[in-house]
Amino acid sequence: MIVTIDGVAASGKSSVSSGVAQALGVPYVSSGLLYRAVTLLGLTAGADLADASALLPLLPGVRLEPLASGNRVWNADHDLTADLHSTRVDGGVSTVAALPEIREWVDAQLRALPDPLVAEGRDMGTNVFPHAPHKFYLTASPRVRAERRAKERPEDIPAIEAALTERDRLDTTQSAPAPDARVIDTGPLTLQGVIDTILADLR
Ligand code: ADP
Ligand code: CDP
């Protein structure tokens, strides 16, 4: 069984997926972390983030560890996870995610994982696992999302809201609800409320 949870930036995908996966007793995978890892390695190497041929040679050692408590990404024996949510990575990741060769690489990593699992990102329900029987798509207004993310970033709420809105725009191509996804506005709900809504739907 595969459950897909897609949605716009900072809509709660990873927190909700972690909660749903823990309730089901299965792993969850955060596809955005792989795009973030490619971006971090590209920035560190001084590579052109719009050039897939400069990025792909950096990736053979990259591995996603789908821990229930929070996914980790490794490059050989170096844990990249703590550096994946910086403002610098936020700013470059949509450029990397627009590259078809990088999307193919991420998709192959995800499809190699054994099910059952909960998969979250932008195109889990539309592209990576189109046959998943349970699909959800999370939304919330840009202001609500910026207020939530402000607790995790040094910038002020208007700056975060502008960056989120710009990233949504750049991600439009790959971020849309699957026709058979249930769309959930998380704005009026608590985190546990979103998790319970999904669990009730699964039952
Ligand atoms: P995403 O994976 O979509 O970027 P996160 O899971 O990182 O989103 O969630 C962003 C923040 O919003 C987290 O700190 C999360 O706990 C918080 N949050 C607060 N209320 C909610 C809610 N109702 N639904 C989802 N997330 C929420
Ligand atoms: O939740 P947030 O948008 O902050 O971050 P994320 O889920 O970690 O995704 C980071 C970026 O990766 C997105 O802005 C997209 O550019 C890209 N992404 C994607 O294109 N497809 C996915 N399935 C997941 C992420």
Side-chain angles (χ1 to χ4, degrees):
M1 185 200 62
I2 293 178
V3 178
T4 62
I5 302 181
D6 290 304
V8 288
S11 54
K13 301 177 297 294
S14 49
S15 314
V16 168
S17 297
S18 173
V20 168
Q22 288 191 52
L24 297 175
V26 306
Y28 83 97
V29 292
S30 177
S31 55
L33 281 189
L34 285 172
Y35 289 103
R36 288 175 177 277
V38 179
T39 308
L40 177 66
L41 293 175
L43 287 168
T44 305
D48 177 358
L49 296 184
D51 179 2
S53 67
L55 299 173
L56 287 169
L58 306 174
L59 308 183
V62 176
R63 182 174 60 84
L64 181 80
E65 187 183 16
L67 295 178
S69 52
N71 284 196
R72 307 206 75 79
V73 183
W74 297 82
N75 184 25
D77 57 358
H78 181 204
D79 186 348
L80 303 178
T81 317
D83 296 323
L84 297 180
H85 281 99
S86 66
T87 303
R88 204 163 70 113
V89 171
D90 285 350
V93 66
S94 295
T95 302
V96 170
L99 301 172
E101 298 91 335
I102 301 297
R103 301 202 71 80
E104 275 170 33
W105 178 84
V106 169
D107 295 354
Q109 310 297 307
L110 298 170
R111 291 187 181 123
L113 296 167
D115 61 7
L117 56 85
V118 177
E120 65 95 346
R122 298 294 186 293
D123 62 342
M124 298 300 98
T126 50
N127 175 45
V128 182
F129 302 113
H131 303 301
H134 307 288
K135 300 180 184 178
F136 300 89
Y137 190 92
L138 307 185
T139 66
S141 71
R143 179 49 63 110
V144 164
R145 291 184 279 133
E147 285 168 357
R148 291 175 184 166
R149 189 125 284 178
K151 300 189 177 99
E152 307 161 344
R153 294 286 192 283
E155 290 80 14
D156 61 15
I157 291 171
I160 293 173
E161 183 174 344
L164 286 179
T165 308
E166 172 63 0
R167 198 143 56 85
D168 288 348
R169 190 183 69 76
L170 294 171
D171 291 338
T172 311
T173 311
Q174 70 267 24
S175 185
D180 50 343
R182 175 173 174 186
V183 179
I184 301 173
D185 178 3
T186 70
L189 299 171
T190 63
L191 177 57
Q192 191 59 45
V194 183
I195 293 167
D196 289 344
T197 301
I198 291 177
L199 291 173
D201 198 294
L202 295 177
R203 285 185 198 108

